[in-house]
Amino acid sequence: MTRVNAESATEQRAGKLVVISGPSGAGKTTLLKRLYACAPAPLIVSVSATTRPPRPGERDGVDYHFLLKEEFERRRLRGDFLECCEVYQRGDWYGTLHSEVAPRLAAGKWVVLEIDVQGTLAVLQHYPAAVTIFIRPGSVDELERRLRQRGTESEAALQRRLDVARRELASVDRYRYQVVNDDVDRAVDELCKILSCCGG
Ligand code: 5GP
């Protein structure tokens, strides 16, 4: 576990906001599933909204709130989002709804956001005491191998994800913690320790 930044002086009185990022293919999903089973406090995962179409097996309201672009835009203008942005520069928008976060924090719950780097920076403006964790692959080569193995992307989309990953890896020092996922058991253990030392 590497502690990146000094802890913010601002303490959240109610609940705890945990923001987790990492390149697509860094093994985030596997790690987080394990983390949710062993975390020091029950974690509520915020369901993001997106305009991208569902992948096979994804369910509306569970994996994402899948919105048409017009609906997303309407809600964005209405101020429903804590943060939102276009993630892969191909016209797909992703965003965190206030309704997924604020009421739960107010009720003292622990809320987890799985979002990208630009989203994290926007969230920190509202919640400077958020616990930010960046999950990184062992290397970019390892990331490429995993993405190819997953086989869900065209070559162009895969290259775009790798470009985004390289850019995101350059922003890792904006996070309070970083965890290298080169060994799943150890990485889960580190995540649990981070959450425990944050008040779990
Ligand atoms: P995917 O399309 O593979 O589900 O997600 C692509 C990327 O979108 C991931 O890097 C994920 O972290 C990011 N993402 C998912 N939800 C949100 C969100 O609500 N806000 C932001 N900024 N990024 C998100």
Side-chain angles (χ1 to χ4, degrees), residues 49-88:
T50 184
T51 62
R52 85 149 162 76
R55 297 192 185 115
E58 285 186 330
R59 286 175 297 160
D60 186 34
V62 176
D63 299 287
Y64 282 102
H65 300 290
F66 293 100
L67 302 183
L68 294 175
K69 281 203 175 122
E70 300 70 35
E71 174 66 0
F72 194 106
E73 181 62 4
R74 196 182 61 77
R75 297 189 69 170
R76 188 177 74 80
L77 293 174
R78 202 169 71 181
D80 286 3
F81 288 107
L82 166 57
E83 61 77 32
C84 67
C85 51
E86 194 184 347
V87 170
Y88 288 117

Short mmCIF file of all heavy atoms in Angstrom, two decimals, residues 49-88:
data_model
loop_
_atom_site.label_atom_id
_atom_site.label_comp_id
_atom_site.label_asym_id
_atom_site.label_seq_id
_atom_site.Cartn_x
_atom_site.Cartn_y
_atom_site.Cartn_z
N ALA A 49 -24.82 6.40 -14.00
CA ALA A 49 -25.63 6.48 -15.22
C ALA A 49 -24.68 6.49 -16.42
O ALA A 49 -23.56 7.00 -16.31
CB ALA A 49 -26.46 7.75 -15.21
N THR A 50 -25.11 5.93 -17.52
CA THR A 50 -24.30 5.99 -18.74
C THR A 50 -25.19 6.01 -19.97
O THR A 50 -26.32 5.53 -19.92
CB THR A 50 -23.33 4.80 -18.84
OG1 THR A 50 -22.50 4.97 -20.01
CG2 THR A 50 -24.03 3.45 -18.97
N THR A 51 -24.61 6.57 -21.04
CA THR A 51 -25.33 6.53 -22.32
C THR A 51 -24.83 5.38 -23.19
O THR A 51 -25.32 5.21 -24.29
CB THR A 51 -25.14 7.85 -23.10
OG1 THR A 51 -23.75 8.02 -23.38
CG2 THR A 51 -25.64 9.04 -22.30
N ARG A 52 -23.82 4.63 -22.71
CA ARG A 52 -23.36 3.53 -23.57
C ARG A 52 -24.38 2.39 -23.48
O ARG A 52 -25.06 2.23 -22.47
CB ARG A 52 -21.95 3.09 -23.17
CG ARG A 52 -21.86 2.09 -22.04
CD ARG A 52 -20.64 1.19 -22.21
NE ARG A 52 -20.27 0.51 -20.99
CZ ARG A 52 -20.90 -0.53 -20.46
NH1 ARG A 52 -22.03 -0.98 -21.02
NH2 ARG A 52 -20.47 -1.10 -19.37
N PRO A 53 -24.48 1.60 -24.56
CA PRO A 53 -25.46 0.50 -24.53
C PRO A 53 -25.02 -0.59 -23.57
O PRO A 53 -23.82 -0.77 -23.34
CB PRO A 53 -25.46 -0.02 -25.97
CG PRO A 53 -24.24 0.55 -26.63
CD PRO A 53 -23.76 1.71 -25.83
N PRO A 54 -25.98 -1.33 -22.99
CA PRO A 54 -25.62 -2.42 -22.08
C PRO A 54 -24.86 -3.52 -22.82
O PRO A 54 -25.14 -3.79 -23.98
CB PRO A 54 -26.98 -2.97 -21.62
CG PRO A 54 -28.01 -2.05 -22.12
CD PRO A 54 -27.42 -1.15 -23.14
N ARG A 55 -23.88 -4.11 -22.14
CA ARG A 55 -23.20 -5.30 -22.68
C ARG A 55 -24.05 -6.50 -22.32
O ARG A 55 -24.88 -6.43 -21.40
CB ARG A 55 -21.82 -5.46 -22.05
CG ARG A 55 -20.88 -4.32 -22.35
CD ARG A 55 -19.44 -4.67 -21.95
NE ARG A 55 -18.58 -3.53 -22.13
CZ ARG A 55 -17.95 -2.89 -21.15
NH1 ARG A 55 -18.06 -3.31 -19.89
NH2 ARG A 55 -17.20 -1.84 -21.40
N PRO A 56 -23.84 -7.62 -23.01
CA PRO A 56 -24.63 -8.82 -22.68
C PRO A 56 -24.52 -9.13 -21.19
O PRO A 56 -23.43 -9.10 -20.62
CB PRO A 56 -23.96 -9.92 -23.51
CG PRO A 56 -23.30 -9.20 -24.64
CD PRO A 56 -22.89 -7.85 -24.12
N GLY A 57 -25.67 -9.37 -20.56
CA GLY A 57 -25.67 -9.73 -19.14
C GLY A 57 -25.81 -8.54 -18.21
O GLY A 57 -26.11 -8.70 -17.02
N GLU A 58 -25.57 -7.31 -18.70
CA GLU A 58 -25.69 -6.14 -17.83
C GLU A 58 -27.16 -5.78 -17.64
O GLU A 58 -27.95 -5.87 -18.58
CB GLU A 58 -24.93 -4.95 -18.43
CG GLU A 58 -23.44 -5.08 -18.28
CD GLU A 58 -22.68 -3.85 -18.73
OE1 GLU A 58 -23.17 -3.14 -19.64
OE2 GLU A 58 -21.60 -3.59 -18.21
N ARG A 59 -27.49 -5.37 -16.38
CA ARG A 59 -28.89 -5.06 -16.08
C ARG A 59 -29.06 -3.59 -15.73
O ARG A 59 -28.25 -3.03 -14.97
CB ARG A 59 -29.37 -5.94 -14.92
CG ARG A 59 -29.61 -7.38 -15.35
CD ARG A 59 -29.95 -8.26 -14.18
NE ARG A 59 -28.84 -8.32 -13.23
CZ ARG A 59 -28.97 -8.67 -11.96
NH1 ARG A 59 -30.14 -8.97 -11.46
NH2 ARG A 59 -27.91 -8.71 -11.16
N ASP A 60 -30.14 -3.01 -16.24
CA ASP A 60 -30.44 -1.61 -15.95
C ASP A 60 -30.74 -1.44 -14.46
O ASP A 60 -31.48 -2.24 -13.89
CB ASP A 60 -31.65 -1.16 -16.79
CG ASP A 60 -31.91 0.32 -16.65
OD1 ASP A 60 -30.93 1.09 -16.52
OD2 ASP A 60 -33.08 0.72 -16.68
N GLY A 61 -30.13 -0.44 -13.85
CA GLY A 61 -30.37 -0.19 -12.42
C GLY A 61 -29.47 -1.01 -11.53
O GLY A 61 -29.43 -0.78 -10.32
N VAL A 62 -28.76 -1.98 -12.11
CA VAL A 62 -27.85 -2.81 -11.31
C VAL A 62 -26.41 -2.50 -11.70
O VAL A 62 -25.60 -2.08 -10.86
CB VAL A 62 -28.15 -4.32 -11.52
CG1 VAL A 62 -27.14 -5.19 -10.76
CG2 VAL A 62 -29.58 -4.64 -11.11
N ASP A 63 -26.11 -2.69 -12.98
CA ASP A 63 -24.75 -2.40 -13.45
C ASP A 63 -24.60 -0.90 -13.72
O ASP A 63 -23.58 -0.29 -13.39
CB ASP A 63 -24.45 -3.21 -14.70
CG ASP A 63 -24.53 -4.70 -14.40
OD1 ASP A 63 -23.62 -5.20 -13.73
OD2 ASP A 63 -25.53 -5.34 -14.79
N TYR A 64 -25.58 -0.35 -14.36
CA TYR A 64 -25.67 1.09 -14.65
C TYR A 64 -27.14 1.46 -14.73
O TYR A 64 -28.00 0.59 -14.93
CB TYR A 64 -25.05 1.41 -16.02
CG TYR A 64 -23.54 1.47 -16.07
CD1 TYR A 64 -22.80 0.40 -16.58
CD2 TYR A 64 -22.85 2.58 -15.62
CE1 TYR A 64 -21.41 0.45 -16.64
CE2 TYR A 64 -21.46 2.64 -15.68
CZ TYR A 64 -20.75 1.57 -16.18
OH TYR A 64 -19.38 1.63 -16.24
N HIS A 65 -27.41 2.76 -14.64
CA HIS A 65 -28.68 3.29 -15.12
C HIS A 65 -28.41 3.64 -16.58
O HIS A 65 -27.67 4.58 -16.86
CB HIS A 65 -29.09 4.54 -14.34
CG HIS A 65 -29.25 4.30 -12.86
ND1 HIS A 65 -30.29 3.56 -12.34
CD2 HIS A 65 -28.50 4.68 -11.81
CE1 HIS A 65 -30.18 3.51 -11.03
NE2 HIS A 65 -29.10 4.17 -10.68
N PHE A 66 -28.96 2.84 -17.48
CA PHE A 66 -28.71 3.08 -18.91
C PHE A 66 -29.70 4.13 -19.40
O PHE A 66 -30.91 3.91 -19.37
CB PHE A 66 -28.85 1.77 -19.70
CG PHE A 66 -27.77 0.78 -19.37
CD1 PHE A 66 -28.01 -0.27 -18.49
CD2 PHE A 66 -26.50 0.92 -19.92
CE1 PHE A 66 -26.98 -1.17 -18.18
CE2 PHE A 66 -25.48 0.02 -19.61
CZ PHE A 66 -25.72 -1.02 -18.74
N LEU A 67 -29.17 5.28 -19.81
CA LEU A 67 -30.03 6.40 -20.23
C LEU A 67 -29.77 6.73 -21.70
O LEU A 67 -28.63 6.63 -22.18
CB LEU A 67 -29.72 7.66 -19.40
CG LEU A 67 -29.85 7.57 -17.88
CD1 LEU A 67 -29.56 8.94 -17.26
CD2 LEU A 67 -31.25 7.11 -17.48
N LEU A 68 -30.83 7.15 -22.37
CA LEU A 68 -30.64 7.70 -23.71
C LEU A 68 -29.92 9.05 -23.55
O LEU A 68 -30.02 9.70 -22.51
CB LEU A 68 -32.00 7.93 -24.39
CG LEU A 68 -32.79 6.66 -24.70
CD1 LEU A 68 -34.17 7.00 -25.24
CD2 LEU A 68 -32.01 5.78 -25.68
N LYS A 69 -29.22 9.44 -24.62
CA LYS A 69 -28.43 10.69 -24.54
C LYS A 69 -29.29 11.89 -24.14
O LYS A 69 -28.88 12.72 -23.34
CB LYS A 69 -27.77 10.98 -25.89
CG LYS A 69 -26.55 10.12 -26.08
CD LYS A 69 -25.57 10.71 -27.06
CE LYS A 69 -24.33 9.81 -27.04
NZ LYS A 69 -24.01 9.25 -28.33
N GLU A 70 -30.53 11.94 -24.68
CA GLU A 70 -31.40 13.09 -24.40
C GLU A 70 -31.75 13.12 -22.90
O GLU A 70 -31.80 14.17 -22.28
CB GLU A 70 -32.70 13.02 -25.21
CG GLU A 70 -32.53 13.00 -26.73
CD GLU A 70 -31.94 11.70 -27.27
OE1 GLU A 70 -32.24 10.63 -26.71
OE2 GLU A 70 -31.14 11.77 -28.23
N GLU A 71 -32.02 11.95 -22.34
CA GLU A 71 -32.39 11.86 -20.93
C GLU A 71 -31.20 12.22 -20.03
O GLU A 71 -31.33 12.93 -19.03
CB GLU A 71 -32.88 10.42 -20.63
CG GLU A 71 -33.19 10.10 -19.18
CD GLU A 71 -34.37 10.87 -18.61
OE1 GLU A 71 -34.98 11.67 -19.34
OE2 GLU A 71 -34.65 10.68 -17.40
N PHE A 72 -30.03 11.74 -20.43
CA PHE A 72 -28.81 12.05 -19.68
C PHE A 72 -28.60 13.57 -19.65
O PHE A 72 -28.37 14.17 -18.61
CB PHE A 72 -27.61 11.33 -20.32
CG PHE A 72 -26.37 11.30 -19.47
CD1 PHE A 72 -25.98 10.12 -18.83
CD2 PHE A 72 -25.59 12.43 -19.28
CE1 PHE A 72 -24.83 10.08 -18.03
CE2 PHE A 72 -24.45 12.40 -18.49
CZ PHE A 72 -24.07 11.23 -17.88
N GLU A 73 -28.73 14.16 -20.84
CA GLU A 73 -28.52 15.60 -20.97
C GLU A 73 -29.55 16.39 -20.15
O GLU A 73 -29.23 17.36 -19.48
CB GLU A 73 -28.59 15.98 -22.46
CG GLU A 73 -28.37 17.44 -22.78
CD GLU A 73 -26.99 17.96 -22.38
OE1 GLU A 73 -26.15 17.18 -21.90
OE2 GLU A 73 -26.78 19.19 -22.52
N ARG A 74 -30.80 15.91 -20.19
CA ARG A 74 -31.86 16.58 -19.43
C ARG A 74 -31.52 16.55 -17.93
O ARG A 74 -31.61 17.54 -17.23
CB ARG A 74 -33.20 15.86 -19.70
CG ARG A 74 -34.44 16.65 -19.30
CD ARG A 74 -35.71 15.84 -19.55
NE ARG A 74 -35.77 14.60 -18.77
CZ ARG A 74 -36.06 14.52 -17.49
NH1 ARG A 74 -36.32 15.61 -16.82
NH2 ARG A 74 -36.10 13.34 -16.87
N ARG A 75 -31.07 15.40 -17.47
CA ARG A 75 -30.75 15.26 -16.04
C ARG A 75 -29.49 16.03 -15.68
O ARG A 75 -29.36 16.55 -14.58
CB ARG A 75 -30.64 13.78 -15.68
CG ARG A 75 -31.98 13.06 -15.91
CD ARG A 75 -32.00 11.68 -15.39
NE ARG A 75 -31.96 11.67 -13.93
CZ ARG A 75 -32.16 10.59 -13.20
NH1 ARG A 75 -32.42 9.44 -13.76
NH2 ARG A 75 -32.09 10.65 -11.89
N ARG A 76 -28.56 16.10 -16.64
CA ARG A 76 -27.34 16.88 -16.38
C ARG A 76 -27.70 18.36 -16.20
O ARG A 76 -27.27 19.00 -15.25
CB ARG A 76 -26.37 16.72 -17.56
CG ARG A 76 -25.01 17.33 -17.32
CD ARG A 76 -24.08 17.09 -18.49
NE ARG A 76 -24.41 17.91 -19.64
CZ ARG A 76 -24.05 19.19 -19.78
NH1 ARG A 76 -23.33 19.78 -18.85
NH2 ARG A 76 -24.41 19.86 -20.84
N LEU A 77 -28.55 18.86 -17.10
CA LEU A 77 -28.94 20.27 -17.02
C LEU A 77 -29.74 20.55 -15.76
O LEU A 77 -29.71 21.65 -15.21
CB LEU A 77 -29.72 20.68 -18.27
CG LEU A 77 -28.90 20.68 -19.56
CD1 LEU A 77 -29.78 20.95 -20.78
CD2 LEU A 77 -27.77 21.70 -19.48
N ARG A 78 -30.47 19.54 -15.29
CA ARG A 78 -31.29 19.70 -14.08
C ARG A 78 -30.42 19.69 -12.82
O ARG A 78 -30.88 19.96 -11.72
CB ARG A 78 -32.31 18.55 -14.03
CG ARG A 78 -33.51 18.83 -13.18
CD ARG A 78 -34.57 17.79 -13.40
NE ARG A 78 -34.18 16.49 -12.83
CZ ARG A 78 -34.92 15.39 -12.90
NH1 ARG A 78 -36.06 15.42 -13.55
NH2 ARG A 78 -34.53 14.27 -12.35
N GLY A 79 -29.13 19.31 -12.99
CA GLY A 79 -28.23 19.30 -11.83
C GLY A 79 -28.28 18.00 -11.05
O GLY A 79 -27.95 17.98 -9.85
N ASP A 80 -28.69 16.91 -11.69
CA ASP A 80 -28.81 15.64 -10.97
C ASP A 80 -27.46 14.98 -10.68
O ASP A 80 -27.38 14.07 -9.86
CB ASP A 80 -29.63 14.63 -11.81
CG ASP A 80 -31.12 14.96 -11.80
OD1 ASP A 80 -31.49 15.98 -11.20
OD2 ASP A 80 -31.90 14.19 -12.40
N PHE A 81 -26.40 15.41 -11.40
CA PHE A 81 -25.14 14.69 -11.29
C PHE A 81 -24.16 15.37 -10.33
O PHE A 81 -23.96 16.59 -10.37
CB PHE A 81 -24.47 14.58 -12.67
CG PHE A 81 -25.17 13.61 -13.57
CD1 PHE A 81 -25.94 14.06 -14.64
CD2 PHE A 81 -25.09 12.24 -13.37
CE1 PHE A 81 -26.60 13.18 -15.48
CE2 PHE A 81 -25.75 11.34 -14.20
CZ PHE A 81 -26.51 11.81 -15.25
N LEU A 82 -23.54 14.54 -9.51
CA LEU A 82 -22.42 14.99 -8.68
C LEU A 82 -21.23 15.27 -9.60
O LEU A 82 -20.47 16.21 -9.41
CB LEU A 82 -22.10 13.87 -7.67
CG LEU A 82 -20.79 13.90 -6.91
CD1 LEU A 82 -20.64 15.20 -6.14
CD2 LEU A 82 -20.72 12.71 -5.95
N GLU A 83 -21.05 14.42 -10.59
CA GLU A 83 -20.04 14.61 -11.63
C GLU A 83 -20.50 13.83 -12.85
O GLU A 83 -21.19 12.83 -12.71
CB GLU A 83 -18.64 14.16 -11.19
CG GLU A 83 -18.51 12.68 -10.83
CD GLU A 83 -18.44 11.72 -12.00
OE1 GLU A 83 -17.91 12.11 -13.05
OE2 GLU A 83 -18.94 10.60 -11.89
N CYS A 84 -20.10 14.29 -14.02
CA CYS A 84 -20.32 13.48 -15.22
C CYS A 84 -19.35 13.91 -16.30
O CYS A 84 -18.87 15.04 -16.30
CB CYS A 84 -21.76 13.57 -15.70
SG CYS A 84 -22.25 15.17 -16.31
N CYS A 85 -19.00 12.99 -17.17
CA CYS A 85 -18.09 13.32 -18.26
C CYS A 85 -18.16 12.26 -19.35
O CYS A 85 -18.73 11.19 -19.16
CB CYS A 85 -16.65 13.45 -17.75
SG CYS A 85 -16.12 12.08 -16.76
N GLU A 86 -17.53 12.61 -20.47
CA GLU A 86 -17.43 11.70 -21.59
C GLU A 86 -16.15 10.90 -21.35
O GLU A 86 -15.08 11.49 -21.26
CB GLU A 86 -17.32 12.53 -22.87
CG GLU A 86 -17.54 11.78 -24.12
CD GLU A 86 -17.32 12.68 -25.33
OE1 GLU A 86 -17.25 13.92 -25.19
OE2 GLU A 86 -17.21 12.12 -26.42
N VAL A 87 -16.26 9.58 -21.19
CA VAL A 87 -15.09 8.85 -20.72
C VAL A 87 -14.15 8.41 -21.82
O VAL A 87 -12.95 8.52 -21.70
CB VAL A 87 -15.50 7.67 -19.80
CG1 VAL A 87 -14.34 6.76 -19.51
CG2 VAL A 87 -16.07 8.20 -18.49
N TYR A 88 -14.65 7.91 -22.93
CA TYR A 88 -13.70 7.41 -23.95
C TYR A 88 -13.69 8.23 -25.23
O TYR A 88 -13.34 7.73 -26.28
CB TYR A 88 -13.96 5.93 -24.26
CG TYR A 88 -13.53 5.06 -23.12
CD1 TYR A 88 -14.43 4.28 -22.43
CD2 TYR A 88 -12.19 5.04 -22.72
CE1 TYR A 88 -14.03 3.50 -21.37
CE2 TYR A 88 -11.78 4.27 -21.66
CZ TYR A 88 -12.70 3.50 -20.99
OH TYR A 88 -12.30 2.74 -19.95
#
